[in-house]
Structure formats: structure tokens, C-alpha cells
Amino acid sequence: MLDRIREAAGAALVEDAGAVVAAASAMSGRFRRGGRLLAFGRGEAASDAAHVAVEFTHPVIVGKRALPAFSLGAEPSALPVLGRPQDIAVGIRPFDGDLAAARGLGMLTVALTADEECAQAEHVLTARSTDPLVAREIHITMYHLLWELVHVFQESECPA
């Protein structure tokens, strides 16, 4: 049963690949303009926010450059204090309204959701699974894809 749930969620991610690419392209553009990534997560997703920040600041692949990223833990309330217009706010399992201040500042907003509403996010990447563990696995895959694709765009000749 769990294998079928994982397979369906993975197939849905493949269908949503264009949305992941669009988010990564927009993120790359912000990094090119001196932006920083500020990640946060609700509940257990706070540890995923820390993982996202580490991925960007300490690349594990030789030759990939470090990009500025910070984890806000479970504190999206820090976005209006620390955020700048050229920055990127990434919310993992955000509550509706968590990204409103970031959007108001002009920050690029990306939300990794499962069943949450997140109308303020410009890029909503949804893990389509009712199983919370499978949804988390999809989120982990998504943010690793974002990291890799941002670097692909960073290395390309044309600006994102």
C-alpha cells in the first residue's frame, strides 16, 4: 500500500516538474541580484528549513558555489525584520499568511505544501500525498531539485 502511495506522489512530482523548474529559475535570478534565501518550516518542517539553508551554504558537490541562505527555524515572523526585496522566502508547510509580509517586501516567495493553502506564494510546490511521511519525502526531493536547478541556472550564460 505504501509503495502505491509513494509511486503516485512521485508521478505527481514528475507532472509538476515545470513548476519546480520555474521556481528554481526565479530563485537563481534573485541570487544573481545579491539575494539571500530565508527558509522556515512549521513543526517538524523546521528541520527541513535548516537542511535547505545548509544545502545552499555548504554545497556537497565539488565546484558548486555556496549561496547565501539562512534558516529561520519555525519563525516566519522574522521575515519582515530580516528580509530584503531581492531575497527569497521559502516556507515549508507554511500556514496561510506566513508569506504575506515577505511578498509585501517584494521578496520571491516559494511554498512547499501538502494540504496547506498558501495564496501569498508566487511558487507553490505541492507534495500530492495524504500520507505526511510521503509528503515529507517529496518535499525533500523538491528542495534538492531546487538546489540542483538553481546551480544549473547559475552556471548558464543567460540570466534567469
Side-chain angles (χ1 to χ4, degrees), residues 25-44:
S25 176
M27 291 169 66
S28 177
R30 294 296 177 111
F31 282 121
R32 284 181 192 266
R33 292 190 292 280
R36 306 164 303 166
L37 186 147
L38 294 109
F40 70 90
R42 292 292 189 160
E44 69 278 356

Side-chain angles (χ1 to χ4, degrees), residues 28-88:
S28 177
R30 294 296 177 111
F31 282 121
R32 284 181 192 266
R33 292 190 292 280
R36 306 164 303 166
L37 186 147
L38 294 109
F40 70 90
R42 292 292 189 160
E44 69 278 356
S47 64
D48 290 319
H51 187 167
V52 169
V54 166
E55 290 288 335
F56 279 88
T57 58
H58 298 286
V60 296
I61 298 175
V62 175
K64 301 292 183 186
R65 77 182 184 103
L67 295 167
F70 304 93
S71 173
L72 304 178
E75 295 297 329
S77 59
L79 287 169
V81 176
L82 299 174
R84 306 172 306 179
Q86 68 269 32
D87 290 340
I88 306 156

Side-chain angles (χ1 to χ4, degrees), residues 10 15 30 35 52-53 59 80 114 117 125 132 137:
E15 291 173 16
R30 294 296 177 111
V52 169
E117 291 291 320
L125 307 175
E137 290 173 0

